[in-house]
Amino acid sequence: MNRGVTQTDVDQLRALQREVQSNDVIVDYVTTQQSAVAYLREINQEISLLIGTDFAALAGRSSC
């Protein structure tokens, strides 16, 4: 039975999105994750400068 998406479904989704976006724990997690990614990009750039090649591209290659 495929009834599609109703306006009620959309309204419920938007209400859940507002709850998630106002949850302090989730907001802190997302902010911390973004900060960590930015920091790691800086570290990768510094390592790349030191070794003279794109460290992130080297580290991304794995045979595991």
Side-chain angles (χ1 to χ4, degrees):
M1 182 167 137
N2 186 1
R3 64 179 175 90
V5 178
T6 66
Q7 186 60 46
T8 302
D9 295 332
V10 171
D11 293 342
Q12 288 175 338
L13 177 61
R14 288 186 177 147
L16 286 171
Q17 285 175 323
R18 283 190 297 274
E19 282 185 52
V20 168
Q21 291 168 346
S22 65
N23 183 296
D24 290 338
V25 173
I26 294 172
V27 170
D28 287 345
Y29 172 80
V30 171
T31 301
T32 302
Q33 184 179 36
Q34 290 171 342
S35 296
V37 168
Y39 179 71
L40 290 173
R41 284 186 181 134
E42 288 178 33
I43 297 300
N44 284 341
Q45 187 175 22
E46 289 296 321
I47 292 171
S48 294
L49 288 172
L50 289 170
I51 65 174
T53 190
D54 186 352
F55 175 73
L58 291 175
R61 295 182 190 144
S62 175
S63 60
C64 296

